[in-house]
Amino acid sequence: MFFFFSSCKKDSTLFELRSPDQTGISFNNEIIESDSFNILTDEYIFNGGGVAIADFDQNGLPDLFFTGNQVSNRLYLNEGEFKFKDISESAGIMAADKWCTGSVIVDINNDGWPDIYVAAAMKKRSRRAEQPFVCQSGQRCFRSDYLQRNGR
């Protein structure tokens, strides 16, 4: 008597790695150390950035916002099928002169559009008033000067 067992187990994964060429997302929060800027001179150097997900253009798809430390922030609009469009420069959210550490999404002015508050750190004499804030004001462009124009 012979018994023969066979398994047709197919390897399946929940996620599939996609390249920047496939997705349009090329964000890398690279930290470059030097003799004068490193873990010994700035203890929070590797605390990292952050990511926030919201439907910024209200097309029903989740868009991505990344905060950067030594690199600029990036905003990617979801065009469907895992394809994203980088609108960072035209949206005015890059904050290249800030060490951005995280963000939160809130509709701060109750207009139905998600707004972005970005936390920034590691700058000498920084004040809360200098933190980046992006308010959409019901348009597809972001306005970082919203608070100044509205007396806040």
Side-chain angles (χ1 to χ4, degrees):
M1 186 179 279
F2 291 101
F3 291 101
F4 181 74
F5 294 98
S6 175
S7 174
C8 295
K9 183 180 179 189
K10 181 181 176 183
D11 289 334
S12 63
T13 59
L14 185 59
F15 298 101
E16 179 182 319
L17 182 62
R18 305 262 174 139
S19 72
D21 290 335
Q22 292 173 306
T23 63
I25 298 173
S26 60
F27 181 81
N28 179 13
N29 192 29
E30 183 178 19
I31 306 294
I32 299 173
E33 293 181 88
S34 68
D35 291 343
S36 60
F37 183 69
N38 56 64
I39 192 69
L40 299 175
T41 62
D42 293 272
E43 64 183 306
Y44 302 113
I45 188 172
F46 292 112
N47 279 9
V51 63
I53 301 171
D55 187 6
F56 295 110
D57 57 359
Q58 296 187 346
N59 67 352
L61 300 171
D63 305 312
L64 305 173
F65 177 75
F66 295 94
T67 60
N69 302 143
Q70 288 180 319
V71 299
S72 298
N73 299 331
R74 291 284 175 206
L75 177 60
Y76 295 94
L77 293 184
N78 190 338
E79 297 179 322
E81 302 296 319
F82 291 101
K83 304 274 188 207
F84 292 82
K85 180 179 180 182
D86 185 351
I87 65 158
S88 307
E89 193 170 334
S90 63
I93 55 83
M94 297 178 75
D97 61 334
K98 305 279 186 191
W99 187 277
C100 299
T101 58
S103 61
V104 65
I105 307 301
V106 62
D107 183 7
I108 197 73
N109 59 353
N110 202 25
D111 68 353
W113 291 85
D115 305 312
I116 306 171
Y117 179 82
V118 180
M122 295 192 44
K123 297 290 183 181
K124 305 294 185 224
R125 294 178 293 225
S126 67
R127 298 183 329 215
R128 182 174 290 166
E130 295 169 351
Q131 298 282 39
F133 175 79
V134 182
C135 184
Q136 287 203 71
S137 300
Q139 301 175 11
R140 278 193 58 156
C141 63
F142 290 78
R143 297 182 181 168
S144 59
D145 62 343
Y146 174 81
L147 293 175
Q148 293 171 341
R149 287 184 293 106
N150 289 287
R152 297 181 191 167

